[in-house]
DNA sequence: TTGTAGGCGTTATCAG
DNA sequence: CTGATAACGCCTACAA
């Protein structure tokens, strides 16, 4: 299959390549007759415009970069789907990068993004150094962050107010006099975890107590399970709040195996409302976060920034809410 | 930030742009002195070569396309991670497409791939029409399929022999006289399901029985749960084999809720050894499939094809094995 | 070892 | 409405 160019089409249709280009982009008016002639030639020759050359000529690519954490959490792929679906609607390709935030690695990614002249970048709540962000800014590449509220020129974000929702949930428990609360996190996504912690502490402060139930566990199921089992065996608790559903389920199973009754003797809440939370026994109460939408919104934001359209809401807050299932009372 | 080109560098370093190009690609020899002068100019100017222009000039891109099913199964993101990691090692970017196999959508994707002159495509066991594959072949774009064993020029694959492993598992049960077996699938990924079915039927045939326990359920947890609960209430069964872990867990929970004892009264096995299978109670026995590796191998295969290196194993079989946990006896 | 010039496939600016 | 012709940023013979 020899490559056919716009030039071949022009020859076949007996016009100049300029005209062919015109009908391809219906840029300026072309007479119906020649237009059809060109169209026919294109069809006959099976011509497909070379996006790379177009990119060069127009000095813009049609790709956005998507940087996600390496981990294969269910939440991540949901967001990715949102991004990809919407990006494709607006005719952008998405180039996937994954990272575990190694400084070196991030640099390499940034460099690659710049080399390829991608017009925009979406970053999933990873712990990118602001250094990396600055670099993108220097090259005028718009960024939207999903997960955290980051302000700045050429920056937009879509996020949930983890502090607020967490505060509300915890406050509710404290009001009922349940103050033996532990917060579990997998030492991952520190930005978000930090917000959650602030919410918790704020609630505690209002009743003039100090919160000191922060528990960091290893990320794998087996590890977190045994650490939590150990913790449960040695501590009296009203509520375990876990930064991800899967961690919450580790706690759930550990409790069950210790014959602690849920929710009667211990309540458990996770975050994200992933498939896990439905599948556990008892079904897990969880703080629902609209992940797919967040991805979709991020993609929409970036496309608008690329077209220099104004983004009404540069920092788009999305609502989270507690879903009561069977691991909590009430 | 004005864009700096190879030309600016040349001027600054007092050489021709050809020389600059040479040091960028260390193509042909350049004297140490000028090389360093150029390098310094590059650093001073903060020059980053434009990959788009390079692509045009060299007539090759540095991206491969990755087509995955829309569903956000845990198994999929594991494979994606494998692909991305290895692709980046060999300096390829991966462009992500997701599809639910709508004919129209697939055409659009193929067209996009051709337009962008990607040099290779990896397809995750989706049900792409051979039509689409033919189109890629026409343009000389190598494809590697992960999931199914597809032969052909410019094609490689990495797959597990679902028929064989399924056959072995089922045969084992039949040997013990347990022949009330049901196979659950979510009407998804028919290629693979078909292979599993063949394995089952083969085992049944050897004991001169016919298999008619194929159960198609809806894909969501809630739906499959209630359908299976209903089925369990009305059928006596020895084993439920589910084409995915999450489906198996639907069955597990349904059985538990009917107070059917697992594994004593009913055994359950899933596929993929995903996180789900560890987290269920009792822990799910499952057929382990090396997902990350499959992604990694696929990426390696495609990069070799792109360099016209021979691929020793064009169709790479990867081993699956049954992991006994607590949803099976023994 | 280095420079010149043509080419990669399109778009875009002018005239006509 | 249509056709030259110059970019776009870089690579690569071919010469020097």
């Amino acid at each position: 299959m020899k490559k056919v160019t716009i030039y071949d089409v022009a020859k076949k249709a007996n016009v100049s390549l300029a005209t062919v280009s015109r009908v391809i982009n219906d840029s300026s008016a072309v007479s119906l007759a020649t237009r059809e002639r060109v169209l026919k030639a294109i069809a006959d020759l099976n011509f497909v415009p070379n996006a790379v050359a177009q990119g060069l000529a127009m000095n813009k690519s049609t790709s956005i970069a998507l940087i996600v954490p390496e981990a294969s959490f269910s939440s991540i792929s949901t967001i990715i789907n949102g991004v990809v679906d919407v990006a494709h609607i607006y005719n952008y390709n998405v180039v996937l990068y994954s990272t575990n935030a190694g400084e070196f690695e991030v640099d390499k990614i940034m460099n690659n993004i710049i080399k390829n002249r991608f017009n925009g970048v979406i970053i999933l709540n990873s712990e990118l150094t602001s250094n990396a962000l600055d670099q993108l800014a220097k090259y005028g590449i718009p960024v939207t962050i999903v997960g955290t509220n980051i302000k700045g020129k050429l920056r937009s974000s879509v996020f949930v107010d983890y502090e607020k929702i967490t505060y509300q949930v915890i406050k509710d428990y404290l009001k009922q006099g349940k103050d033996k609360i532990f917060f579990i996190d997998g030492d991952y996504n520190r930005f978000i975890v930090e917000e959650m912690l602030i919410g918790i502490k704020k609630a505690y402060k209002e009743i003039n107590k100090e919160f000191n139930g922060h528990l960091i566990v290893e990320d794998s199921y087996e590890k977190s399970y045994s650490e939590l089992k150990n913790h449960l065996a040695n501590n009296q608790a009203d509520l375990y709040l876990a930064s991800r559903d899967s961690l919450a389920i580790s706690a759930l199973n550990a409790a069950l195996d210790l014959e602690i009754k849920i929710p009667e003797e211990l309540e458990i809440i996770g975050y994200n409302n992933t498939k896990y939370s439905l599948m556990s026994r008892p079904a897990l109460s969880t703080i629902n976060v609209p992940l797919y939408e967040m991805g979709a919104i991020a993609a929409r934001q970036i496309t608008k920034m690329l077209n220099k359209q104004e983004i009404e809401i540069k920092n788009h807050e999305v609502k989270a809410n507690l879903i009561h299932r069977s691991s909590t009372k009430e």
Side-chain angles (χ1 to χ4, degrees), chain A residues 192-203:
Chain A
I192 288 181
V193 164
E194 200 47 49
E195 290 184 31
M196 294 172 179
L197 271 173
I198 293 176
I200 297 175
K201 286 175 181 162
K202 186 173 158 202

Side-chain angles (χ1 to χ4, degrees), chain A residues 6 68 77-78 81 97 110 139 170 178 183 196 273 281 296 301 315:
Chain A
I6 202 176
V68 307
S77 56
T78 307
N81 278 328
Y97 295 88
M110 291 303 144
Y139 283 87
I170 297 299
K178 301 171 184 169
F183 176 65
M196 294 172 179
N273 187 25
R281 296 278 114 157
Q301 284 189 150
N315 296 284

Side-chain angles (χ1 to χ4, degrees), chain A residues 125 127 147-148 160 162-163 166 183-201 211 214-217 219 241-244 247 271:
Chain A
N125 53 26
E127 332 193 352
T148 350
V160 345
Y162 286 103
E163 179 186 327
T166 304
F183 176 65
I184 312 168
D185 99 74
D187 195 19
Y188 175 81
N189 228 163
R190 284 189 288 268
F191 273 135
I192 288 181
V193 164
E194 200 47 49
E195 290 184 31
M196 294 172 179
L197 271 173
I198 293 176
I200 297 175
K201 286 175 181 162
F211 175 70
H214 187 193
L215 256 176
I216 298 180
V217 301
D219 215 61
L241 177 64
S243 66
R244 277 184 293 115
L247 248 26
Y271 279 86

Side-chain angles (χ1 to χ4, degrees), chain A residues 18-299:
Chain A
T19 303
V20 177
S21 174
R22 282 181 189 113
V23 347
I24 291 175
N25 314 289
D26 16 57
S27 46
S28 67
V30 175
S31 81
L32 200 74
T34 64
R35 160 182 227 84
E36 288 192 331
R37 200 145 33 93
V38 171
L39 251 21
K40 183 166 184 325
I42 289 178
D44 287 354
L45 263 42
N46 228 291
F47 167 73
V48 183
N50 182 330
V52 179
Q54 290 180 319
L56 218 212
M58 301 193 293
N59 185 30
K60 66 160 200 167
S61 89
T62 60
S63 298
I64 62 184
L66 173 59
I67 306 179
V68 307
E70 171 90 47
S72 62
F73 296 143
S74 154
S75 54
I76 295 176
S77 56
T78 307
I79 298 178
I80 293 182
N81 278 328
V83 171
V84 170
D85 284 352
V86 171
H88 282 166
I89 290 178
Y90 292 97
N91 282 98
Y92 283 96
N93 280 139
V94 359
V95 180
L96 191 62
Y97 295 88
S98 77
T99 171
N100 23 46
E103 186 73 40
F104 171 72
E105 216 181 328
V106 171
D107 264 7
K108 224 181 125 188
I109 293 177
M110 291 303 144
N111 198 264
N112 193 281
I113 289 175
I114 293 166
K115 271 187 58 156
N116 284 283
R117 307 297 196 266
F118 292 139
N119 356 37
V121 179
I122 295 177
I123 301 178
L124 293 207
N125 53 26
S126 57
E127 332 193 352
L128 291 189
T129 56
S130 61
N131 187 8
L133 292 183
D134 288 346
Q135 204 173 344
L136 292 177
K138 209 171 83 184
Y139 283 87
I141 300 176
V143 177
T144 123
I145 311 276
V146 5
T148 350
N149 182 1
I150 290 192
K151 303 212 163 88
K153 229 178 59 174
L154 284 178
R155 270 175 216 172
S156 70
S157 65
V158 39
F159 63 95
V160 345
D161 189 333
Y162 286 103
E163 179 186 327
K164 185 168 62 185
I165 183 73
T166 304
Y167 164 76
Q168 287 165 352
V169 169
I170 297 299
K171 185 180 162 193
D172 238 51
Y173 273 85
L174 295 178
K175 206 185 301 173
Q176 302 169 45
K178 301 171 184 169
D179 64 354
K180 290 191 284 298
I181 297 177
F182 292 96
F183 176 65
I184 312 168
D185 99 74
D187 195 19
Y188 175 81
N189 228 163
R190 284 189 288 268
F191 273 135
I192 288 181
V193 164
E194 200 47 49
E195 290 184 31
M196 294 172 179
L197 271 173
I198 293 176
I200 297 175
K201 286 175 181 162
K202 186 173 158 202
Y204 265 83
K205 187 154 192 185
E206 288 182 356
I207 61 162
N208 292 309
K209 293 212 173 186
E210 191 153 345
F211 175 70
N212 43 21
H214 187 193
L215 256 176
I216 298 180
V217 301
E218 294 236 13
D219 215 61
S220 79
Y221 174 77
E222 294 96 329
K223 294 275 183 60
S224 60
Y225 168 84
S226 70
E227 290 180 43
L228 288 169
K229 191 166 176 180
N230 193 43
H231 185 265
L232 276 163
N234 298 301
N235 291 274
Q236 179 65 23
D238 294 316
L239 169 71
Y240 270 69
L241 177 64
S243 66
R244 277 184 293 115
D245 285 339
S246 54
L247 248 26
I249 291 177
S250 296
L252 193 73
N253 286 337
L256 255 26
D257 290 348
L258 288 170
E259 307 206 331
I260 297 173
K261 293 205 184 349
I262 292 176
E264 294 79 6
E265 301 171 14
L266 171 65
E267 299 182 61
I268 299 181
I269 299 177
Y271 279 86
N272 282 352
N273 187 25
T274 53
K275 277 185 277 183
Y276 297 117
S277 59
L278 271 176
M279 288 165 37
S280 75
R281 296 278 114 157
L284 185 68
S285 297
T286 183
I287 293 174
N288 175 56
V289 174
L291 301 167
Y292 180 90
E293 289 162 41
M294 290 176 78
I297 291 172

